[in-house]
């Protein structure tokens, strides 16, 4: 992802994109929104290859895949480091240091991502100290995901009564219950997860075969498990413990464009299908234990010890949006997750409509997912079409005008 400096002093940048191309769960070729947005960005030289997976598009200053100045090739984190107060602002620097504290992405998902958690700050600090090559920072990674169309996801835990209803009724699941328990609680759930994750391949496969033979009515309102089970088995294998963890203990949500979820640090999740905007605290740490080859799975003991048990039903996973005074003409809404690193604005304009985003006392990343128009800031106008990305320094008012239906997102901190 390359970024071109458009103004001096450097407060507005427009970017070319770079992709993580080698994740096997990504959509292939032109079916990938991440790829098509990249192909529509000017001066990338990027050409989509049919049959190749294009999973993620990163937009930020994280050193693993940083933005770069298009003209000079200088990486964004170096530009920010040299102009911290001017680009980040005093408030953001006092809270988060001399970096952009968030990382936006576009994900295009063809099959389940690994069953994973992102460690909290305390655990990340320890893991980074012990293994800095694998855990490349000491930060936590709570995140949001906003659907750009149909989006399927496993996230957070089911209501405890729903989990207990399955394990208390379906005989194949009795083998995963602790021998001694006074009641079914979060400690019981943790032990169930550990038993599933440490079970042999043969036991995992046998359990699924037995579950598939149980009449649909025995599952009650959770009969969707029987529909999803063969789909997950086809994507990975009958021996993958992720099939059982996600279907039996985690919420399954089927969302539409504009719907969003919030995933706190240490909360289990596995995106299943769709195109999304994802934004997270500035980190790349992850622990995987399912929907991946056994050799790629992280420590089960570490994973289960780190688990948090909130959210604990589907409604708690969902993140709403509301009107915001950041937009002066009422065309902008805001996603405000319960974390300090960022909020996300969404501006939707019809042909000829305008919106002004008030100056924000911190850094922003602005990107268009559909449509075309102009972005005006610091007295200069720039084309903003789908696939275009801008870094906006603190204290900069931005005006959008749509020449066709335009949808713009703005992640910001202040």
């Amino acid at each position: 992802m390359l970024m071109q400096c458009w103004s001096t002093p450097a407060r507005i940048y427009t970017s070319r994109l770079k992709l993580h191309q080698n994740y096997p769960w990504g959509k292939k070729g032109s079916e990938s929104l991440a790829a098509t947005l990249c192909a529509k960005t000017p001066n990338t030289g990027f050409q989509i290859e049919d049959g190749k997976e294009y999973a993620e598009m990163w937009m930020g200053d994280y050193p693993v895949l940083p933005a770069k100045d298009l003209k000079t090739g200088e990486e964004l984190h170096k530009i920010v480091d040299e102009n911290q107060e001017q680009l980040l602002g005093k408030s953001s620097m006092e809270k988060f240091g001399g970096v952009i504290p968030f990382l936006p992405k576009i994900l295009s998902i063809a099959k389940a991502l690994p069953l994973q958690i992102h460690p909290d700050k305390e655990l990340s600090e320890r893991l980074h100290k012990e293994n800095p090559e694998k855990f490349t920072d000491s930060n936590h990674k709570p995140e949001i995901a906003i659907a750009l169309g149909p989006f399927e996801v496993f996230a957070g835990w089911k209501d405890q009564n729903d989990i207990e209803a399955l394990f208390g009724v379906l005989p194949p699941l009795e083998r995963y219950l602790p021998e001694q328990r006074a009641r079914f609680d979060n400690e019981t759930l943790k032990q169930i997860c550990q038993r599933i994750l440490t079970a042999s391949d043969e036991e995992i496969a046998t359990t699924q075969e037995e579950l598939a033979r149980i009449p649909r009515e025995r599952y009650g309102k959770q009969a969707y498990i029987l529909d999803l089970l063969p789909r997950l088995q086809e994507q990975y294998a009958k021996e993958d413990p992720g099939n059982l963890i996600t279907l039996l203990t985690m919420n399954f949500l089927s969302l539409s464009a504009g719907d969003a979820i919030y995933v706190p640090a240490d909360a289990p999740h596995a995106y299943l299908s769709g195109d999304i905007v994802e934004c997270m605290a500035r980190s790349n740490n992850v622990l995987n234990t399912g929907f991946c080859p056994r050799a790629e799975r992280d420590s089960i003991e570490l994973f289960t010890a780190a688990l948090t048990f909130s959210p604990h039903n589907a409604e708690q996973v969902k993140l709403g949006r509301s009107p915001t005074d950041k937009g002066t003409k009422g065309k902008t809404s805001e996603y405000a997750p319960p974390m300090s690193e960022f909020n996300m604005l969404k501006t939707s304009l019809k042909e000829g409509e305008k919106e002004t985003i008030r100056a924000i006392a911190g850094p922003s990343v602005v990107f268009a997912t559909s449509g075309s128009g102009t972005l005006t800031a610091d007295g200069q106008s720039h084309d903003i079409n789908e696939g275009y990305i801008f870094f906006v320094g603190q204290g900069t008012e931005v005006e959008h005008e749509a020449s066709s239906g335009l949808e713009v997102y703005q992640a910001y901190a202040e």
Side-chain angles (χ1 to χ4, degrees):
M1 180 168 63
L2 303 177
M3 302 189 80
Q4 180 179 1
C5 179
W6 283 94
S7 65
T8 303
R11 293 206 297 178
I12 302 290
Y13 293 79
T14 183
S15 73
R16 295 196 321 190
L17 314 182
K18 189 172 182 180
L19 301 174
H20 261 306
Q21 297 177 334
N22 58 346
Y23 291 152
W25 49 262
K27 291 186 178 181
K28 292 183 178 181
S30 58
E31 293 181 355
S32 167
L33 180 64
T36 56
L37 290 179
C38 184
K40 292 180 179 181
T41 304
N43 303 320
T44 61
F46 174 75
Q47 293 184 342
I48 298 173
E49 298 180 31
D50 292 337
K52 187 173 185 179
E53 292 91 359
Y54 297 95
E56 295 189 354
M57 181 179 82
W58 289 32
M59 301 171 279
D61 68 342
Y62 196 83
V64 170
L65 197 67
K68 296 179 182 179
D69 187 301
L70 181 60
K71 293 180 179 179
T72 67
E74 187 175 8
E75 295 177 348
L76 178 59
H77 64 92
K78 295 180 180 179
I79 297 172
V80 169
D81 189 56
E82 294 168 359
N83 303 274
Q84 290 182 10
E85 188 169 345
Q86 181 184 27
L87 295 179
L88 301 178
K90 184 177 179 180
S91 175
S92 181
M93 290 177 62
E94 288 177 349
K95 293 177 184 176
F96 310 113
V99 297
I100 302 171
F102 54 83
L103 176 59
K105 303 178 183 179
I106 300 291
L107 271 60
S108 291
I109 306 153
K111 67 177 186 178
L113 275 68
L115 171 61
Q116 61 190 256
I117 64 170
H118 301 302
D120 58 40
K121 283 188 176 181
E122 182 179 356
L123 180 56
S124 289
E125 289 172 357
R126 176 165 69 84
L127 294 175
H128 178 61
K129 184 176 181 179
E130 294 173 352
N131 188 353
E133 290 188 6
K134 178 176 173 60
F135 301 98
T136 53
D137 59 77
S138 59
N139 200 17
H140 67 167
K141 191 182 174 185
E143 63 189 23
I144 68 170
I146 304 171
L148 295 173
F151 172 42
E152 297 176 305
V153 57
F154 295 104
W157 306 102
K158 294 181 181 182
D159 186 279
Q160 201 137 275
N161 291 331
D162 291 338
I163 301 173
E164 188 172 6
L166 293 174
F167 283 84
V169 171
L170 305 181
L173 303 182
E174 292 178 0
R175 58 174 63 99
Y176 301 114
L177 290 170
E179 289 82 4
Q180 297 180 347
R181 67 181 192 281
R183 54 195 172 91
F184 198 105
D185 55 15
N186 288 336
E187 182 59 33
T188 308
L189 181 52
K190 178 183 288 190
Q191 292 184 50
I192 287 172
C193 290
Q194 188 157 17
R195 286 176 175 228
I196 291 174
L197 292 170
T198 56
S200 67
D201 289 351
E202 293 76 17
E203 182 179 292
I204 294 294
T206 297
T207 300
Q208 292 175 68
E209 291 169 359
E210 293 171 346
L211 289 173
R213 290 195 293 266
I214 294 175
R216 191 178 187 88
E217 56 269 19
R218 294 282 300 278
Y219 287 85
K221 66 180 182 180
Q222 300 182 75
Y224 69 86
I225 290 171
L226 295 175
D227 301 322
L228 288 174
L229 180 58
R231 180 176 164 191
L232 295 178
Q233 291 172 336
E234 183 179 356
Q235 290 185 3
Y236 291 94
K238 287 184 178 181
E239 296 79 16
D240 197 306
N243 299 338
L244 295 180
I245 297 290
T246 55
L247 291 173
L248 300 174
T249 71
M250 294 172 61
N251 300 300
F252 172 68
L253 295 91
S254 184
L255 305 178
S256 301
D259 294 339
I261 63 170
Y262 169 67
V263 181
D266 298 331
H269 57 289
Y271 300 156
L272 184 55
S273 71
D275 295 305
I276 63 172
V277 171
E278 186 184 48
C279 194
M280 61 210 64
R282 188 181 186 272
S283 176
N284 197 37
N285 295 329
V286 63
L287 295 170
N288 299 323
T289 58
F291 297 148
C292 57
R294 186 174 288 274
E296 297 177 10
R297 297 173 196 167
D298 291 299
S299 164
I300 294 169
E301 182 178 356
L302 182 62
F303 180 91
T304 54
L307 286 173
T308 185
F309 292 95
S310 178
H312 221 315
N313 63 54
E315 289 305 310
Q316 292 176 2
V317 175
K318 296 177 183 178
L319 176 67
R321 59 177 165 144
S322 57
T324 176
D325 61 3
K326 291 288 193 293
T328 65
K329 296 179 173 62
K331 305 296 184 181
T332 300
S333 55
E334 184 163 18
Y335 300 89
M339 55 186 289
S340 60
E341 282 85 353
F342 69 88
N343 281 8
M344 181 74 74
L345 303 178
K346 179 183 179 182
T347 300
S348 299
L349 301 177
K350 299 177 182 178
E351 181 179 350
E353 289 185 336
K354 296 181 180 181
E355 174 67 293
T356 299
I357 305 299
R358 302 181 194 276
I360 290 173
S364 296
V365 173
V366 177
F367 52 99
T369 56
S370 63
S372 61
T374 58
L375 179 154
T376 301
D378 282 347
Q380 300 185 45
S381 294
H382 317 282
D383 290 336
I384 180 168
N385 304 327
E386 58 186 51
Y388 286 35
I389 304 171
F390 295 80
F391 170 73
V392 180
Q394 60 87 22
T396 306
E397 183 179 88
V398 175
E399 182 179 284
H400 299 294
E401 182 173 2
S403 54
S404 64
L406 180 64
E407 191 161 277
V408 178
Y409 290 84
Q410 179 168 343
Y412 75 90
E414 63 179 2

